[in-house]
Each structure stands twice: as structure tokens, then as C-alpha cells.
Amino acid sequence: MGEKDPHRTRELMTQLGRVAPVLAVVLALLALWCAWQGVRQWQAGQRSTSVTQARDAAVDATGQALQAELRRMRERLASAPVQRALQDGRLDAAGAALGRDWPGATGVAVVPHDLRSEYNALAPGRFGRLAALESAVAAGEPVLMVAGGPAGPQILVTAPARVGERPVGVAIAALPLERATAGLAAVEVDPATYVALRQGSQTLMARGEPALSNVAERLGRPVPGTQLRIVAATPHVGRPPLGLSALPLWGLAATLLALAIAAGRLARRRSPAGSESDAEPTLAQSLQTADVDRPAPRPAPASAPKPAAAQLDPAIFRAYDIRGVVGRTLDAAIAERIGRAIGSLMHEQGLDEIVVGRDGRLSGPDLAAGLIAGLRASGRNVVDIGLVPTPLTYFAAYHLRTGCCVSITGSHNPPEYNGFKIVVGGETLAGEAIAELHARIAGERLYAAPVPGGLVERDLADDYVRRIADDIQIARPLKVVVDAGNGAAGTLGPRVLEAIGADVIPLHCEIDGTFPNHHPDPSEPRNLADLIDVVKRMGADLGVAFDGDGDRLGVVAADGAIIDADRLLMLFAADLLERNPGALIVHDVKCTGRLTGHVLRHGGSPLMWKTGHSLIKAKMRETGAELAGEMSGHFFFAERWFGFDDGLYAAARLLEILALQADPTAALHALPVGVSTPELKVDVPGGDPHAFVARFLAQATFDGARLSTIDGLRADWPDGWGLVRASNTTPVLVLRFDADDAQALARIQALFRERLLAIEPGLTLPF
């Protein structure tokens, strides 16, 4: 054995010598990489310290300047000239005395405490002044916020004007924005970092690198006593390797460099190996690796059997989308004609590229193929993102800057339904625009391009998840049950909530277009039975449910209580209004009457509008609203998001709010509540709910009620309301009732029952 040892030693040295050059290069490269990472971590630390100091200095300077203006308002209101005028009821004189010799102040006034004159004089888009006045009434003390003015943003200082403890008016003074921005303007800011003064989603002043604006909220700090905050950000350098800071990384780099030098010396000492050395691989050859096996392509999704050709039915062109029954009113051939009509509209507007996504229904692949063929025939370039929730299709249109997309989805309808939600030039098609698509098809006014458009496939799920996770990270983990109802959000919904820090328990998250467990409509209480059971059994903090295409959200508290969407909108509104005083909050006609008062008490401006995702989005664009919601569970965030309805993002925003609460269930139950019904759906003899509603509007009367006819008929009394409207997605009437107590609810339902049966005695009413 001993005689073989020298031979083995020489063989081992020879083998080490062969790999020594490669090892030396690899170790040297690792040393350089660690040294560079150390430099990056050191720079990141320096920049973090710098930007934190700049932020804090700006907060202190801005706070001192604005607190001085709040003190000035208090002192002037308590002055003898102002108090004498208030005691005499001379509000104009009080305003004049209040503003005398106030440097830079304009528009100083004292208005009546009930603000009725302000509401009567409210101009479209001018909600900031009213919100500032409402905030002072609600707070009972001077408040300061930034709002738009004739010459741009300005500071509004408002305060209750009292004589003793008796409120007689509300004081307001406008100051130049520079009073708020001077503090930030004076601090030193590293150009590679970002520091900004914000109120809500509005950036009032920014310094540094604009590309960091989207991630600056994480280092935000409020300016005391105001609605303003200073936000900051540094360039992202990633997690430090092995969790090491700069000095340990430099130490590791030195160690690796020493090992690289030793390996190099070993390579130089190695004895020649004759012809064997000529066969040694080069460094490039040594670093080559075998090709990694490519994953097998995913099998094509199952599709429904091809139905007989359907005839074009104008009834599928609905108020805010296209929706039909596959095999009866909708098939691939009709989808192709719809694609050509959309492409023709895009051609006229000079738009070339469009995103197409589809939900998990069995008919989706065939309809997508037809739609894409029609779009390409009209010369449009198509980006096919495959099976995704509708919000991801909307997101793709923004992310890829196409401005156009089509989501092929039946939403919350039964499996045999499917349809198209369409965005062209950034606007969701609805009403006359949908009708015009039918007219194009019926009139054969379809553009035929000389060369077909292109087709590419993209996977944008990671981009979508990353964008949400960059915006939201919850303060503490929450255990959440996610019920996707076997819809298109089954994969992405849990991913989003896990990415923001939640502990997710998936339920019915396998995508299956037959919806084997329950109907994918979270607005129906019976569809939440499984979710309620699992939330209770697992001791979860809450449960969330999505509809078939993921653009709607349902919520269940830890105790199993269903939290209606209009109450969730109250929670979202209160949170948003902390950052955006005066913001306009749009809600549909099915939402509780308590929502209006809740928004006003939190300094916002409520607006009731028609039900329908495209109609709500159009109203948001028209009015500049920051938030909207529907009783069906659609939520639209323009603040920090893109303004489209997104159940997944809404769930993330909900967790962000609840994670800050000691008891999420108590926070949900603290929202104002009365006695209400869910959406009650009633079949109409003849199957035309719109015709029935027209008759109801013409014949029904309700004494003592304030009537709204923007969408069906809603009758409001001081203690509750009732609604009758036609659904735009299924051929039924939709009814809802809401009241302060059970007696008022019963009275309102009895009135509606009497009038409904007077028009159609054959109706089967569920109340």
C-alpha cells in the first residue's frame, strides 16, 4: 500500500494542477464581485443616511412653517375685531378683519357654519375648498391642506369660527404653496436619491431622481398637524450577499483573492504532463455547461366542443360590454367579426397594438382565436397574454403602453356565458360605443388591412405581482383564506397576497371553467358558505373571494360575518381621504345611504352614479375621482393604481389597512351599518327587465321620498331607501333595500311590493 502513496500523490497534484487555472480565475472573479458588492452596500448605507437626514430636515422645516400659520389662524379668530364681528353675525366683516395684514393670504373669509352656500356654489372639479371647510367642521380645530386654485395648488387653512362654544361660521384663508415647499427646497438632497412633498397622490414638490418616485412611500413621514408628508427613496441595490454588510464583504473579497493567488501559484508549479497537457481544455471550454433540458410545452387548455354557427344577436351588445351564451349567441366566428370591428375602430384612431387575455372558461381558447384572427385581419398587432384575470389584462394595456385591450370573460355568469370587456385608446367601451361595434358588423363597415397584423405571446404575471408588492407591504402578517371560486384569479390571487406579506390559505383556487364548487359570484351570500367555514376552522384573520375573472372582491370577517362592499368602500375611502382630503368618491346606486355621510365626515366628496364597471370608470375620468366602488364588489383605485376595477389589488389594499389594526374584525364591524338586503334578483315575465323598469318609472309614485332615476328608480326616505333597476349582465331585475332598522326596512319593502305587483301581478318577489 505504501508503495502506491507517492503515485497517488503525484496523480492528485496533477489533477489539482489541471483545474488550478480555472479555479484561480473563478476565485478572482468572486473576489472582484464581493468587493463591488461591498462598495454598493457602502454607497447604499451612505445614501440611506443622507436621504433620511434630508427627509427629517424637510419635515421639521415644513412643520414649523405650517404650524405657524395654524397658530396665526387661532390667534386671529380669537382677536377682538373678529370676535365682535362674529357676535354681531357680520361674517363678511369677520373675514375682512381675519385677513388684515396676514402676509401672503388671499381669499380670506368666514362662511356660514352649515356650508349650504358653499354646496350651492360648488363648481365641477372644485371639491378642494369644500373638503377643507368640511375637515375643519369635523375636526373642530384649525386644519391645513393643499387644494387646487385658479392659479394652481395653494394652501388652505380652515377653522371653526366660534363665539364662546357656539359655532357661527367656518374661516378659510389661502396661502401660496411656497409656504409648504420652502422647507424641502432648502435641504441638501443627493441627486441619486429622491425626496418629495406629497398630499395624497399629488406630488407638490420633488427633488432628486424621478425614477424613484414609485417606491418613495416606504420612507414617508407625515408633517405634524397637516395632511402633508415627506417621502423619500434611495436606489435599490438588492439584498446584501449572504446578509453581509460592506466591511465583511471586503474581508471575504480579500480571502478569495488570496486563494486565487495560491491557485495561480499551484498552476505555475505544475509539472508538464506530456501530450496529455495538449489535450487539456481551455478556460472557455472548462466553463461550458451542458444545455439544460427545456421544459415541455404546456398542453393546450381544454376547449368546449365546437357549437353550430351562431347568428349575430344585437342583444349581446350590452350597456358596458358584450356578453352572450356560447353556441347560441356567441361563437368563434362572431368573435372574429367583433375583432375586426374593434380593429377597425383602432385603425380610425391610429392605434396599432392591443392586448388580449381570457379567463378560465372552456370556450375561452376558441373565442380568443377568433377574436385575434379578426384583430390581425384589420392590421392590428396582438399581444396574447393567455389565461389571466381581467385586471391583469387591463394592467398589461398600461404596462405595455398599448392603451387597448380585450378581456374575454363571462365574469360572474354561469359557465355557458362568455363575452368581451373592451378598452380602446384608454377608454372602456360602453353604451353607444358598444352599439356602434354592432352597427359596424351589421353594416359590414370593417377595415381589411393589406397585410395582417403580428402576434406575440407574453407572460406578465411577474410584472403585475412585482408592481403591487412594490406599492404594498403589510405591517404584519395576516392569515387570509382566498376563495377564487375556480376562476381565473386562482393562481395569481394567492401570489399577490403572499408577495405583500400575507399567510395565504387557498380555497377552490384550481382554475376550472365548469366552476364545480360554487358559482363564482362573491356578491351572493350562498357562494361564500365554504369560505366562511374555512375561515372559522382555520382561525384566519379574514377571508377574501374573487369572481370568475378576478375584478370583484368579497370579504368575510374572522367571525364569519360577510362585510358588504359598500361598507368596504367606507373603509377604503376613510384611508384614502387621510392622504387626499377633498377627494371625490364615486359609488353606484346600490350602495348604502350611510356611505355619503361617512365620506363627508372624513372630508371627502361623495357622488352617486350608474352601476356598471365601464360607466363608473368613465365617471372617474370625467370628475378626476380618486376612488370608486360598486355594491357588486368592483373597486377602482386611481390613487397609487390605474383606476380600473381590480379585485386582487383591492384585497391587497384591504390587508394593508387591516394589518395596522390591533383587531381586524373589530375594525370591520366598526363600519357604519344598518339593516339591509343583499342584491335581490327577480325574473321578469317576457325576459325584458329594461322594459319593465321603464313601465315602473312611468307609473310608480312614492310620497315623501326623494327619487333618483339615473339608473332605474331609487327612492330615499330619511330612514332608508329602496331600488329597482335592470341588470345589464343577466335578464333580471335587481332590487335592494336599506334602512335604519327592521321596521323601516319592512315599511319600504311593503311600498315597493305594492307598486311592483300593481304593474306585474305575476312577479315572484323574495320579500
Side-chain angles (χ1 to χ4, degrees):
M1 296 292 292
E3 295 178 356
K4 296 182 180 180
D5 288 343
H7 174 71
R8 288 182 177 177
T9 300
R10 286 194 300 272
E11 183 179 350
L12 177 61
M13 293 301 294
T14 299
Q15 291 174 350
L16 287 174
R18 289 172 181 169
V19 301
V22 175
L23 184 61
V25 172
V26 171
L27 289 171
L29 291 174
L30 285 174
L32 289 172
W33 181 78
C34 287
W36 170 239
Q37 289 296 323
V39 171
R40 296 185 72 203
Q41 295 302 321
W42 177 81
Q43 288 178 334
Q46 294 294 105
R47 285 170 174 163
S48 178
T49 300
S50 168
V51 81
T52 301
Q53 291 174 345
R55 178 202 64 188
D56 293 347
V59 167
D60 292 343
T62 305
Q64 291 173 11
L66 298 183
Q67 286 295 333
E69 300 298 346
L70 290 169
R71 285 194 301 272
R72 196 191 306 266
M73 173 64 86
R74 292 189 187 94
E75 293 166 358
R76 285 173 172 265
L77 282 173
S79 66
V82 174
Q83 283 294 307
R84 282 196 298 270
L86 292 176
Q87 289 173 359
D88 295 340
R90 295 179 294 116
L91 299 187
D92 290 343
L98 183 67
R100 191 171 296 122
D101 300 324
W102 189 336
T106 59
V108 183
V110 178
V111 302
H113 187 265
D114 62 8
L115 301 182
R116 185 173 302 171
S117 60
E118 295 293 317
Y119 274 98
N120 291 338
L122 184 61
R126 294 297 182 186
F127 300 99
R129 174 185 169 90
L130 180 60
L133 294 166
E134 286 278 11
S135 296
V137 172
E141 61 183 12
V143 298
L144 181 149
M145 60 179 284
V146 175
Q154 58 186 351
I155 299 170
L156 296 181
V157 183
T158 55
R162 300 187 179 96
V163 175
E165 294 299 320
R166 179 172 61 89
V168 296
V170 186
I172 184 168
L175 299 169
L177 184 63
E178 287 73 18
R179 299 282 172 89
T181 59
L184 176 56
V187 302
E188 184 177 348
V189 175
D190 183 341
T193 65
Y194 179 84
V195 185
L197 174 67
R198 288 180 180 173
Q199 177 181 268
S201 60
Q202 183 181 16
T203 298
L204 305 174
M205 182 182 187
R207 297 184 60 195
E209 175 52 60
L212 298 175
S213 62
N214 287 339
V215 295
E217 290 295 341
R218 294 184 185 179
L219 293 180
R221 183 181 160 194
V223 177
T226 74
Q227 300 286 351
L228 307 177
R229 66 193 185 283
I230 301 291
V231 300
T234 59
H236 180 66
V237 296
R239 295 182 179 179
L242 305 176
L244 301 178
S245 60
L247 287 176
L249 281 170
W250 287 333
L252 179 59
T255 302
L256 291 169
L257 183 59
L259 292 173
I261 293 171
R265 289 174 177 171
L266 177 62
R268 286 195 298 272
R269 288 201 305 267
R270 181 171 62 88
S271 300
S275 61
E276 185 179 355
S277 64
D278 297 333
E280 290 180 359
T282 65
L283 173 61
Q285 291 169 336
S286 299
L287 295 177
Q288 287 178 349
T289 58
D291 289 341
V292 178
D293 291 339
R294 297 181 180 274
R298 292 179 296 176
S303 59
K306 289 187 179 295
Q311 299 298 313
L312 184 66
D313 184 351
I316 70 173
F317 295 83
R318 297 173 178 262
Y320 42 85
D321 57 19
I322 299 172
R323 189 74 52 81
V325 178
V326 176
R328 191 190 316 164
T329 59
L330 194 60
D331 61 11
I334 289 179
E336 189 271 342
R337 297 165 75 186
I338 291 171
R340 290 189 62 193
I342 296 170
S344 300
L345 177 61
M346 291 176 61
H347 171 70
E348 292 175 0
Q349 297 185 13
L351 302 168
D352 295 325
E353 193 170 26
I354 185 167
V355 175
V356 173
R358 57 181 171 83
D359 70 12
R361 291 166 189 266
L362 301 184
S363 57
D366 281 348
L367 294 182
L371 180 79
I372 291 171
L375 290 166
R376 296 184 65 196
S378 64
R380 301 314 98 187
N381 297 314
V382 178
V383 181
D384 182 4
I385 61 173
L387 196 166
V388 296
T390 291
L392 180 48
T393 305
Y394 294 150
F395 170 81
Y398 284 91
H399 186 69
L400 301 178
R401 293 182 171 86
T402 67
C404 303
C405 66
V406 179
S407 179
I408 303 170
T409 175
S411 187
H412 59 283
N413 286 279
E416 64 272 18
Y417 280 80
N418 216 326
F420 308 89
K421 295 179 179 179
I422 307 162
V423 177
V424 174
E427 296 190 7
T428 303
L429 300 193
E432 293 182 1
I434 293 287
E436 173 60 20
L437 289 181
H438 172 258
R440 283 180 183 273
I441 298 171
E444 294 295 331
R445 293 185 287 108
L446 303 174
Y447 174 69
V451 178
L455 172 64
V456 295
E457 296 182 358
R458 293 284 299 270
D459 183 349
L460 297 177
D462 289 346
D463 301 88
Y464 176 80
V465 174
R466 187 180 306 112
R467 175 62 178 79
I468 295 178
D470 283 346
D471 177 53
I472 299 171
Q473 288 293 312
I474 59 178
R476 63 184 177 91
L478 294 176
K479 184 186 289 187
V480 185
V481 181
V482 176
D483 182 356
N486 299 113
T491 300
L492 206 55
R495 277 189 63 190
V496 165
L497 299 188
E498 287 173 348
I500 69 169
D503 178 11
V504 174
I505 301 170
L507 173 66
H508 305 327
C509 286
E510 305 81 9
I511 299 176
D512 185 338
T514 65
F515 309 122
N517 291 289
H518 62 71
H519 195 57
D521 183 356
S523 67
E524 291 283 356
R526 64 176 179 272
N527 296 327
L528 299 176
D530 291 351
L531 180 61
I532 292 170
D533 178 60
V534 175
V535 166
K536 289 180 176 179
R537 285 194 292 107
M538 300 301 295
D541 293 297
L542 74 158
V544 299
F546 304 118
D547 70 334
D549 66 332
D551 60 4
R552 296 167 57 190
L553 174 68
V555 174
V556 170
D559 59 1
I562 298 172
I563 309 300
D564 288 334
D566 49 7
R567 297 179 70 207
L568 289 176
L569 186 56
M570 294 181 194
L571 188 69
F572 290 139
D575 173 69
L576 181 143
L577 288 167
E578 289 182 2
R579 300 180 297 275
N580 301 267
L584 183 65
I585 312 296
V586 179
H587 63 90
D588 77 329
V589 295
K590 295 183 289 186
C591 288
T592 176
R594 292 168 192 79
L595 177 60
T596 295
H598 190 79
V599 170
L600 287 172
R601 284 192 298 275
H602 285 82
S605 303
L607 175 65
M608 185 167 70
W609 193 240
K610 301 175 183 179
T611 292
H613 68 95
S614 59
L615 306 178
I616 293 287
K617 281 180 277 194
K619 199 64 176 177
M620 289 182 73
R621 284 195 305 274
E622 175 190 338
T623 59
E626 295 276 16
L627 173 67
E630 295 184 273
M631 186 61 202
S632 59
H634 289 271
F635 296 100
F636 312 76
F637 289 88
E639 186 220 32
R640 297 162 50 191
W641 200 234
F642 301 101
F644 56 74
D645 39 338
D646 187 339
L648 285 68
Y649 181 75
R653 288 285 286 257
L654 176 64
L655 266 61
E656 180 184 43
I657 297 169
L658 295 181
L660 296 172
Q661 307 297 319
D663 185 344
T665 302
L668 291 171
H669 285 305
L671 297 167
V673 64
V675 181
S676 63
T677 68
E679 292 184 47
L680 305 174
K681 297 180 180 179
V682 177
D683 292 325
V684 181
D688 188 349
H690 294 277
F692 180 89
V693 169
R695 292 164 57 200
F696 190 71
L697 289 171
Q699 300 178 35
T701 58
F702 293 95
D703 294 337
R706 185 179 72 256
L707 301 183
S708 170
T709 58
I710 60 172
D711 188 2
L713 186 145
R714 173 167 162 161
D716 281 78
W717 290 268
D719 57 353
W721 56 270
L723 168 72
V724 175
R725 60 176 294 274
S727 170
N728 287 314
T729 57
T730 51
V732 297
L733 291 176
V734 177
L735 288 73
R736 189 168 191 246
F737 302 94
D738 181 89
D740 292 343
D741 52 47
Q743 292 75 18
L745 185 72
R747 185 193 82 246
I748 294 170
Q749 286 182 312
L751 290 171
F752 270 79
R753 167 181 284 275
E754 177 184 345
R755 282 139 179 88
L756 287 166
L757 294 178
I759 295 173
E760 183 55 67
L763 286 179
T764 301
L765 300 175
F767 60 90

